[in-house]
Amino acid sequence: MGTGSSGARTLIRALPLAILDVVATFMAYIVGAWGLRVEYQVLATNGIYAYIALLAAINIATYAAFRLYTSLWEYASTNELVRVVAAVTVGALIGDVLAALIFGARFPWRVYPIAWAIIVVVVGASRFAIRVYSGAKGWRVFGVTEDSGLPRTLIIGAGETGALTVKRMLEGDRDMVGAPIGLVDDTPAKVGSHVHGVKVLGTCDDIPQLAKAWRIDQLVVATPSATKDQRDRIYDLCVQAGVRTLTLPLLRDMPHDMDSKIPLREVDISDLLAREEVELDLGQMGYVAGKRVLVTGGGGSIGSELVRQLLPARPAQIILFDIYENTTYELYHEIAKPAAEQGTDLKVFIGSITHLPAIGKVFQHYKPEVVFHAAAHKHVPLMERCAREAIENNVFGTLNVVRLAHQHQCTHFVQISTDKAVNPTNVMGATKRMDEMIVQYFAANSQTVFTAVRFGNVLGSHGSVIPLFRRQIPSCILKTRQVFHAEKPGVFALPANEMRAKKAVYPQVNSSQAGGLRMPRIAAVDCSAATPASGEFFAKRVFGAESALKAVA
């Protein structure tokens, strides 16, 4: 029944267009003959209407083959325009040949180009009228009326992404909710111009003043290709405006086939990282290319991203080893197809690094050549309460993996460590420092290259502290007017997000000596010039303007 109703709806949509195409065919040839003053010759021909009817039928069949009746013309683009021209051209050629064979005659050759042009215009206009009407449903003559009920929006960036944002808002896109009042852009030539009828009101420096003057409810940052310095400046201006700030994903995070569907999102702390992303150089991953690679903790947030970054280097085999089957299962199905397409064998083994027979079976059966050891208990407060488990898993579990890597003569062993191993003040940090000492010992006594790479907090990893900070910062501001700070006065350290953190692993390993402890640079925000209300500054700059304003109100 569902298929039948779908077919009926398609027929209902297609029938008016088909009728219009038939009328267009008759009109095109008759008008063409009349325009060339051969109408008496043509219209006097016996069977002329049957002749044109055949041409119309051929056009209908051709247009159907080119999907001109089943396309969603509400979303038509230049690709559909090309398809219309191609369909009309093919239909005209086939119709001329078949009609000549059947009737033994044809129109004067001068009629055909005029008829072709008329049909292209009528067929194309009928389809794109649907597109224009669909887009106009959400439009207003002067942008947006006061009673629209949507958040009054100032869009930052009048480029391609800004234009797409305006267009989607005007069309009433549920993933792009807002009433576009205006745009700002740092290109002076754009100021005063219009994007889909919405005016570019000024430059980015005018954001605070424009937000107040136009009673803006939300700002939308539509500059996905902006540099780090440009993003920092824009976000600081948004903070000064004191209104909700939304953004679109960075250009590198935008799927190529999803540009028109990506929703707005809140500004995330990773957007504020004060450094550009590390570009992964596959040349620095030569030690994994064509090798069998074991990733312990492969289903975890850190291990899984390591695996994703391994794929482009084309290892011969990736072995996922983890005690938790759910995330490992999800990762396996995420990467199984791309791994198979490039010839990388993907294996999964569920077990604990503390269970020597389990991890030993992996080494014996798969014979990994490179090991990335990310399996560990990482949650500081919980490990304080469960010190025995922390030691058993982090220390003795690591010792199992290290010994096996040495015994099976792996080429590289990479320990994912933490900055908490530096002069440790908690159980988790102490266990990770012991891991590093184990790695250093074997590095001095093994042919395997043993290396540890230290990281600070990783955004998005399981147990990340950032959600906790978001909950705690309002009360922290109210009570102390202060925020957390790093070791150096006036500097607030920001953790790296998962992808950036793991991309930093491979260059560190490639450039390190056996037993080396590597520490990728940690991004930081210099607040030495901040105002005395430092709590307010960081709450706005790092944790979001809206929550900060609520906290200090």
Side-chain angles (χ1 to χ4, degrees):
M1 182 175 179
T3 304
S5 61
S6 176
R9 286 195 298 269
T10 302
L11 180 61
I12 292 172
R13 287 173 58 93
L15 188 58
L17 293 174
I19 293 173
L20 184 61
D21 293 341
V22 171
V23 173
T25 303
F26 273 87
M27 181 182 71
Y29 285 97
I30 292 174
V31 170
W34 176 80
L36 293 172
R37 299 183 182 276
V38 294
E39 67 272 17
Y40 296 109
Q41 175 187 345
V42 171
L43 295 178
T45 304
N46 293 330
I48 184 62
Y49 294 110
Y51 187 98
I52 299 178
L54 175 62
L55 295 178
I58 293 172
N59 282 347
I60 296 297
T62 305
Y63 299 167
F66 277 81
R67 304 192 304 279
L68 297 193
Y69 298 115
T70 56
S71 296
L72 292 175
W73 293 99
E74 293 87 343
Y75 310 108
S77 64
T78 53
N79 292 331
E80 280 69 29
L81 179 60
V82 171
R83 191 140 47 89
V84 166
V85 174
V88 173
T89 303
V90 172
L93 293 174
I94 295 175
D96 180 44
V97 172
L98 291 181
L101 291 175
I102 294 173
F103 289 92
R106 55 163 51 99
F107 285 108
W109 68 268
R110 294 176 296 168
V111 173
Y112 291 99
I114 295 178
W116 176 87
I118 293 173
I119 295 175
V120 166
V121 171
V122 175
V123 172
S126 64
R127 270 67 175 179
F128 279 84
I130 299 173
R131 176 72 181 90
V132 172
Y133 173 73
S134 174
K137 288 189 294 185
W139 292 21
R140 301 294 185 270
V141 176
F142 296 105
V144 178
T145 59
E146 293 290 337
D147 58 352
S148 64
L150 299 174
R152 297 172 62 85
T153 305
L154 180 66
I155 297 162
I156 302 167
E160 184 176 348
T161 304
L164 178 62
T165 302
V166 172
K167 177 172 172 290
R168 290 176 62 187
M169 285 186 174
L170 291 175
E171 292 174 353
D173 192 325
R174 288 179 294 180
D175 290 329
M176 194 76 69
V177 177
I181 301 300
L183 303 96
V184 295
D185 196 283
D186 278 335
T187 303
K190 293 182 179 181
V191 177
S193 60
H194 292 76
V195 177
H196 296 301
V198 179
K199 188 175 182 179
V200 180
L201 300 173
T203 65
C204 292
D205 291 329
D206 301 321
I207 291 174
Q209 294 80 9
L210 291 173
K212 182 178 180 180
W214 289 88
R215 304 189 310 281
I216 297 299
D217 299 316
Q218 68 181 17
L219 303 169
V220 173
V221 180
T223 56
S225 58
T227 64
K228 181 263 298 180
D229 291 337
Q230 291 170 335
R231 290 196 303 270
D232 286 347
R233 171 172 162 267
I234 288 171
Y235 285 130
D236 283 337
L237 290 166
C238 292
V239 167
Q240 295 175 32
V243 297
R244 184 188 188 199
T245 301
L246 302 174
T247 188
L248 291 164
L250 296 179
L251 195 60
R252 60 174 176 270
D253 300 327
M254 295 175 69
H256 296 298
D257 59 343
M258 292 287 288
D259 290 354
S260 61
K261 302 177 184 178
I262 295 175
L264 290 173
R265 63 170 174 81
E266 298 284 348
V267 176
D268 190 80
I269 192 169
S270 61
D271 296 318
L272 305 176
L273 279 173
R275 61 190 291 253
E276 296 288 358
E277 179 181 3
V278 175
E279 292 297 331
L280 190 58
D281 182 1
L282 296 181
Q284 297 178 315
M285 298 178 65
Y287 60 96
V288 299
K291 301 295 181 64
R292 298 181 298 275
V293 182
L294 168 66
V295 182
T296 69
S301 52
I302 294 176
S304 62
E305 190 58 43
L306 282 171
V307 172
R308 294 185 186 97
Q309 302 301 331
L310 275 171
L311 277 179
R314 296 180 176 273
Q317 186 180 62
I318 297 177
I319 306 109
L320 304 177
F321 184 90
D322 203 297
I323 195 172
Y324 187 54
E325 73 276 18
N326 290 354
T327 53
T328 309
Y329 171 85
E330 293 170 358
L331 176 65
Y332 174 81
H333 283 278
E334 174 190 336
I335 67 173
K337 184 177 179 180
E341 289 175 349
Q342 69 177 29
T344 298
D345 185 29
L346 188 61
K347 301 295 183 183
V348 177
F349 200 100
I350 302 299
S352 171
I353 57 174
T354 62
H355 187 211
L356 187 57
I359 188 65
K361 182 178 180 180
V362 171
F363 275 88
Q364 184 176 4
H365 185 73
Y366 296 114
K367 302 187 185 323
E369 299 168 273
V370 179
V371 179
F372 289 93
H373 179 48
H377 288 318
K378 305 177 181 71
H379 200 282
V380 173
L382 289 182
M383 293 307 98
E384 290 297 302
R385 303 187 187 100
C386 307
R388 179 191 176 281
E389 181 64 25
I391 295 171
E392 180 178 3
N393 189 80
N394 291 3
V395 179
F396 290 102
T398 297
L399 184 59
N400 288 340
V401 182
V402 167
R403 282 173 171 168
L404 288 168
H406 166 68
Q407 292 169 9
H408 288 265
Q409 298 180 338
C410 295
T411 62
H412 290 78
F413 179 99
V414 184
Q415 161 75 26
I416 304 300
S417 189
T418 173
D419 59 354
K420 296 173 183 65
V422 182
N423 298 323
T425 59
N426 53 65
V427 171
M428 195 279 281
T431 60
K432 298 299 284 184
R433 177 59 187 140
M434 293 173 72
D435 290 348
E436 292 179 354
M437 295 171 70
I438 292 171
V439 167
Q440 288 176 308
Y441 172 80
F442 275 84
N445 296 277
S446 174
Q447 295 299 313
T448 300
V449 176
F450 283 90
T451 306
V453 180
R454 287 175 176 169
F455 284 106
N457 294 324
V458 177
L459 289 176
S461 63
H462 296 161
S464 173
V465 75
I466 295 302
L468 178 62
F469 281 177
R470 288 187 183 274
R471 294 192 297 270
Q472 289 181 341
I473 196 69
S475 59
C476 175
I477 295 173
L478 289 173
K479 293 178 182 178
T480 66
R481 315 294 284 185
Q482 296 176 355
V483 295
F484 303 102
H485 58 276
E487 297 174 0
K488 292 184 179 181
V491 174
F492 182 84
L494 290 178
N497 67 22
E498 283 183 36
M499 185 176 293
R500 297 180 186 183
K502 263 65 78 181
K503 277 188 177 181
V505 169
Y506 305 106
Q508 302 293 337
V509 174
N510 193 59
S511 61
S512 65
Q513 300 296 324
L517 297 177
R518 309 293 293 182
M519 185 72 176
R521 287 189 306 163
I522 298 177
V525 175
D526 187 355
C527 65
S528 58
T531 61
S534 58
E536 299 170 26
F537 173 82
F538 281 115
K540 291 179 181 179
R541 183 66 172 80
V542 180
F543 295 97
E546 185 179 23
S547 60
L549 291 174
K550 289 180 180 179
V552 299

